[in-house]
Amino acid sequence: MHMRRGDFTHVRRDTVPSLDEIVTAASQQCTQRQLCTVFMATDAAEEERLYLKSSAPASLKLAFFDRTTSTDHDRLHDAERAIVEQLLCTWADWFVGSHESTFSTVIRQEREMNHMSAASTDNVLCKTGTSRCIAPV
């Protein structure tokens, strides 16, 4: 799952879901797909990551590329960490991306080139009640 935060929370406030909506979306995917761990590629602040983890139900484990305690932290540049996250999302069993995110679009394109099904690829995180978020065609 790619959860775009940072400037998106201001620039695209009409479509960016709240942290609670993201936990709900991850929980629904977990239940539907019978998975218990969801990897989240994100530029979210540490406080947001902690909130997500503490808000998730016990049946759902949210995993992040840990920027604070990773032994590779000093060796990996931000761009290198992004590549690791991108690869994890590309080869995941299913993917949910952020609406209008270039990072999510690249992941979807890579999944298509690797013959991943549209059903497991063309899924979008969006604010509840908005009709502006649509899955890519």
Side-chain angles (χ1 to χ4, degrees):
M1 180 174 281
H2 173 233
M3 176 186 73
R4 182 73 165 85
R5 300 304 285 171
D7 63 327
F8 258 45
T9 59
H10 304 290
V11 177
R12 293 188 170 54
R13 71 179 69 118
D14 293 341
T15 57
V16 173
S18 69
L19 295 175
D20 290 326
E21 290 171 320
I22 291 166
V23 169
T24 299
S27 296
Q28 288 171 346
Q29 291 295 324
C30 181
T31 301
Q32 290 172 2
R33 312 228 182 275
Q34 298 178 343
L35 301 170
C36 60
T37 302
V38 175
F39 175 75
M40 299 190 107
T42 185
D43 60 343
E46 188 62 24
E47 302 81 41
E48 291 175 305
R49 292 168 186 242
L50 292 172
Y51 180 85
L52 290 167
K53 283 183 178 182
S54 67
S55 300
S59 59
L60 174 66
K61 179 182 179 195
L62 297 178
F64 299 91
F65 190 102
D66 194 339
R67 295 180 180 149
T68 58
T69 61
S70 173
T71 56
D72 289 335
H73 179 264
D74 293 329
R75 289 183 257 158
L76 292 180
H77 184 274
D78 285 346
E80 292 169 316
R81 285 194 296 272
I83 290 168
V84 171
E85 290 181 330
Q86 184 177 333
L87 288 170
L88 286 168
C89 290
T90 296
W91 292 103
D93 290 336
W94 58 272
F95 175 68
V96 179
S98 290
H99 179 63
E100 297 184 320
S101 164
T102 302
F103 191 82
S104 287
T105 299
V106 169
I107 292 167
R108 284 188 197 94
Q109 290 169 344
E110 289 180 358
R111 290 178 62 85
E112 289 171 11
M113 289 186 294
N114 287 295
H115 309 288
M116 306 292 236
S117 72
S120 71
T121 300
D122 295 339
N123 305 293
V124 180
L125 279 173
C126 196
K127 182 179 268 191
T128 303
T130 186
S131 59
R132 291 184 48 196
C133 291
I134 56 170
V137 246

